[in-house]
Amino acid sequence: TYRLPSEAEWEYAARTGAKKDFRWNEIEASANLNKKTPITVASKKPNAWGVYDMLGNVWEWVDDYYNEKLFADPKPPEKSKHHVLKGASFVGDVKNATYMTHAGGPGNGWDVGFRIVKDIEENFE
C-alpha cells in the first residue's frame, strides 16, 4: 500500500533522531531555499539517514489535518479545512525549513508536492 505519511512519520524521517532543531548552516547545506525555482531531486546533501530534500525545494503535503497552529498537537484534528504542509519550499527561508513547524495547505499549488511511503507487510512465521 502506498500513502501519504502522517505528520509524525514525516517528522521522524526529517529529524533523524535529533532532539533539537538543526543549525541554520546545516539546513542551508541540504535545503533549496530563497530561489525562484525548485531544483532537481537529490541535488543537495541528504539528511543523516540518506533521505533527500526533506527541507526546502517544495512544501510536502502529509495526511494529517492542519490544527491552525504553528506546531502540531500530540493528536491531529479529525477534520479541518486544510492538510498539513511540512518542510518549506524553494521560495521560503531558513526559518520555515524546520521539521518542527507546519503550515496548512493545499497552499498556492506551485511550490507544493508530496512524498509517499510504502507500507510493508511483515511475515512473522
Side-chain angles (χ1 to χ4, degrees):
T1 304
Y2 292 94
R3 60 181 175 77
L4 291 174
S6 69
E7 183 169 10
E9 289 170 325
W10 188 98
E11 272 192 33
Y12 182 79
R15 189 168 25 97
T16 64
K19 302 284 188 232
K20 296 181 180 177
D21 206 0
F22 300 110
R23 294 189 319 258
W24 286 10
N25 64 335
E26 291 178 84
I27 292 171
E28 289 178 334
S30 64
N32 180 38
L33 300 166
N34 298 313
K35 303 289 191 283
K36 294 182 181 185
T37 60
I39 59 174
T40 303
V41 171
S43 295
K44 293 274 203 156
K45 180 180 162 191
N47 72 12
W49 291 350
V51 182
Y52 288 91
D53 305 315
M54 293 299 294
L55 301 174
N57 221 22
V58 294
W59 284 103
E60 294 190 16
W61 190 15
V62 300
D63 195 42
D64 290 337
Y65 287 110
Y66 183 54
N67 64 2
E68 308 294 331
K69 301 175 188 173
L70 183 61
F71 300 106
D73 289 324
K75 183 178 180 202
E78 292 183 23
K79 290 179 89 175
S80 176
K81 294 178 188 175
H82 306 290
H83 278 267
V84 170
L85 298 176
K86 298 291 285 184
S89 80
F90 58 92
V91 295
D93 59 27
V94 73
K95 70 178 171 40
N96 291 318
T98 172
Y99 66 81
M100 296 168 49
T101 61
H102 65 195
N108 56 31
W110 53 268
D111 67 346
V112 176
F114 60 92
R115 181 181 304 263
I116 59 173
V117 294
K118 182 181 186 317
D119 290 328
I120 57 171
E121 294 182 31
E122 296 186 32
N123 189 351
F124 294 106
E125 292 181 27

